[in-house]
Amino acid sequence: MKRGFTTTILHSDLESPIEHYAVHKPMHAAVAYGYPDARELAKVFKGEAPGYVYGRQGNPTTAALEAKISKMEDGIATASFSTGMAAIAATFIALLRTGDHVVSSSFLFGNTNSLFGTLSTLGCEISYVDATRVENVARAIRPDTRLVFVETIANPCTQIADLARIGELCASRGLLYIVDNTMTSPYLYRPKQNRAGLIINSLTKYIGGHGNALGGAVTDTGLYDWTRFPNIYDNYKTANAAQWGILQIRKKGLRDVGGTLAAEVAHRLATGAETLALRMERASANALQLARFFARHPKVKKVYYPGLEDHPQHQLAGELFKTYGALMSIELADGIDCFDFLNRLKLVISSSHLGDNRTLAIPIAHTIYWEMGPERRAEMGIVDSLVRLSIGIEDSDDLVGDFQQALSG
Ligand SMILES: *Cc1c(COP(=O)(O)O)cnc(C)c1O
């Protein structure tokens, strides 16, 4: 019988024997691995035998976490990294060459947007499109397009990419489709069901969940035919073509760049991951309740949350995701100073993070989007009173009470 999501995560380490019958994979902090038979060492180096050679390319603890992420995403292989940004940067550096074209959603995590700016100075061209409609993606595709990149629920205004139709489009064109699944997590959504070839997760957010560890991962779903990808180096064209992509990402992205996840951190993330489903259910339920509360509140002008009927992709979100997630933004009514509002909150923390167990709030225009200037902010609909909320797992009455008192102050 196929096991459920949480059972699978809890028992995934035990699928291979664990030293001393430990119930989960211990921390392996060793940097180097000594082989009694030097021929065996050479085999591992050549990829002819499984094993570890040097800590920059991973260790048994990161491998156990990678196996867990693969299970969550129903993938064939995962490479882990020190942060989500390291995972994204490594993937693009490993797979792109000068002159390549990328089609990307214009609703992007700010640092990904900045990274794409860097890639464009290195000779890659990025076309940004409104990915809530597949036609816009289709129109941007060119003969030199190597891949299409989207996020699931965009931050801060919660636009939802046309994930299923973009997947169909990429499959029909033989294009690599990469989905950043951070905001939904594999519990709410599995991009493989919509034919994604690679999936990126920032483990720092919901998968780790406790705000105590940074990490990132790239998972290959096995759906993309790497023999169609022109940028695979000959020495990574091994017998099994399904492994070409992840092998090149491991070698060129992880080994050469060195954004390696430490064993101690991998262990912390793996522990956090055990309760992903429970936390997502609770945080999403809190978020839906709060969104409805804000929608009725006279001091809130606008609420961005996919679970509300007036959200432009409300129906799409219902079809694609298990819940509507735990991220929302609110625009305060005229005359309310967002800093005064935030300072009146007693429980909710003013912080730039998201996906934490604790509820966090941030005035977007004055922090994360400050650098881009007022004109670009206006284009993106980011007004000065916009506050992004990452809803946590607190008791819902306490959250409603805190926002209630802060809004009536
Ligand atoms: C946070 C985030 C990242 C980057 O992850 P880090 O672990 O902070 O580097 C990438 N994509 C999305 C959608 C994110 O929210």
Side-chain angles (χ1 to χ4, degrees):
M1 196 182 87
K2 201 167 172 348
R3 290 171 169 177
F5 188 87
T6 297
T7 313
T8 303
I9 298 172
L10 283 171
H11 293 271
S12 98
D13 289 355
L14 289 163
E15 286 180 17
S16 352
I18 302 184
E19 43 276 43
H20 310 296
Y21 307 111
V23 295
H24 54 61
K25 195 72 183 170
M27 284 179 237
H28 285 258
V31 166
Y33 298 81
Y35 286 75
D37 177 358
R39 285 191 184 83
E40 183 71 10
L41 173 66
K43 272 192 194 158
V44 174
F45 251 91
K46 291 177 196 158
E48 292 165 4
Y52 302 90
V53 291
Y54 185 65
R56 193 176 344 96
Q57 292 188 67
N59 59 63
T61 315
T62 56
L65 176 66
E66 288 166 357
K68 218 166 274 201
I69 309 290
S70 289
K71 287 218 152 66
M72 290 184 195
E73 290 288 14
D74 193 24
I76 58 165
T78 294
S80 61
F81 294 85
S82 56
T83 63
M85 283 317 302
I88 298 173
T91 302
F92 281 82
I93 288 169
L95 298 181
L96 293 176
R97 297 190 189 178
T98 304
D100 285 347
H101 177 246
V102 169
V103 179
S104 167
S105 166
S106 55
F107 309 119
L108 282 182
F109 178 64
N111 302 152
T112 304
N113 190 59
S114 171
L115 169 71
F116 285 0
T118 308
L119 289 176
S120 67
T121 68
L122 297 174
C124 295
E125 198 186 329
I126 325 270
S127 297
Y128 299 96
V129 299
D130 175 348
T132 60
R133 300 185 68 91
V134 68
E135 307 88 89
N136 300 330
V137 177
R139 221 173 290 127
I141 291 172
R142 314 190 314 212
D144 55 350
T145 303
R146 291 287 167 262
L147 59 91
V148 173
F149 178 85
V150 299
E151 295 177 4
T152 53
I153 303 178
N155 163 16
C157 292
T158 69
Q159 298 94 340
I160 292 161
D162 200 354
L163 294 158
R165 279 171 281 264
I166 296 171
E168 292 298 325
L169 172 72
C170 291
S172 73
R173 303 285 182 92
L175 276 173
L176 176 60
Y177 178 34
I178 307 184
V179 177
D180 181 336
N181 197 28
T182 300
M183 212 55 80
T184 22
S185 90
Y187 179 65
L188 297 193
Y189 175 60
R190 275 182 170 167
K192 184 180 178 183
Q193 81 199 38
N194 297 126
R195 312 175 77 157
L198 292 177
I199 303 164
I200 289 172
N201 280 288
S202 165
L203 308 178
T204 318
K205 311 290 173 56
Y206 294 106
I207 292 179
H210 293 68
N212 61 352
L214 293 151
V218 183
T219 301
D220 190 324
T221 61
L223 294 181
Y224 182 70
D225 175 7
W226 289 102
T227 64
R228 298 184 71 153
F229 200 73
N231 297 351
I232 300 292
Y233 296 95
D234 283 344
N235 44 345
Y236 304 137
K237 291 180 179 170
T238 52
N240 181 3
Q243 296 291 329
W244 292 5
I246 204 78
L247 183 61
Q248 186 154 312
I249 290 168
R250 275 192 181 284
K251 298 292 183 183
K252 293 290 174 186
L254 180 63
R255 183 196 61 190
D256 293 5
V257 181
T260 311
L261 184 65
E264 289 86 345
V265 181
H267 191 270
R268 227 177 283 154
L269 291 166
T271 311
E274 293 183 352
T275 54
L276 174 63
L278 285 74
R279 290 182 284 102
M280 284 311 284
E281 289 285 355
R282 170 91 164 210
S284 304
N286 280 350
L288 185 59
Q289 187 180 345
L290 279 168
R292 288 178 176 151
F293 161 78
F294 290 131
R296 285 191 306 265
H297 203 290
K299 296 208 173 153
V300 177
K301 200 172 181 178
K302 191 163 171 49
V303 186
Y304 297 90
Y305 184 65
L308 296 178
E309 282 78 26
D310 65 352
H311 186 284
Q313 291 97 38
H314 172 66
Q315 201 193 330
L316 184 66
E319 288 162 13
L320 291 168
F321 310 143
K322 192 170 275 160
T323 73
Y324 298 103
L327 188 100
M328 75 180 72
S329 291
I330 56 171
E331 215 176 289
L332 300 170
D334 297 338
I336 304 183
D337 182 281
C338 66
F339 294 103
D340 291 341
F341 164 69
L342 290 169
N343 289 344
R344 279 193 295 269
L345 289 165
K346 295 189 167 77
L347 197 64
V348 176
I349 305 166
S350 292
S351 167
S352 73
H353 183 39
L354 63 88
D356 197 291
N357 278 336
R358 296 154 198 81
T359 298
L360 311 175
I362 185 157
I364 284 280
H366 309 275
T367 55
I368 301 172
Y369 287 82
W370 183 247
E371 206 179 291
M372 64 174 56
E375 276 169 29
R376 181 94 176 84
R377 281 202 296 276
E379 274 168 34
M380 295 180 73
I382 297 173
V383 300
D384 282 358
S385 73
L386 192 71
V387 175
R388 185 189 78 194
L389 303 170
S390 170
I391 307 303
I393 62 167
E394 294 94 339
D395 298 280
S396 62
D397 287 351
D398 293 329
L399 290 176
V400 173
D402 197 28
F403 284 114
Q404 177 83 60
Q405 65 79 23
L407 284 169
S408 54

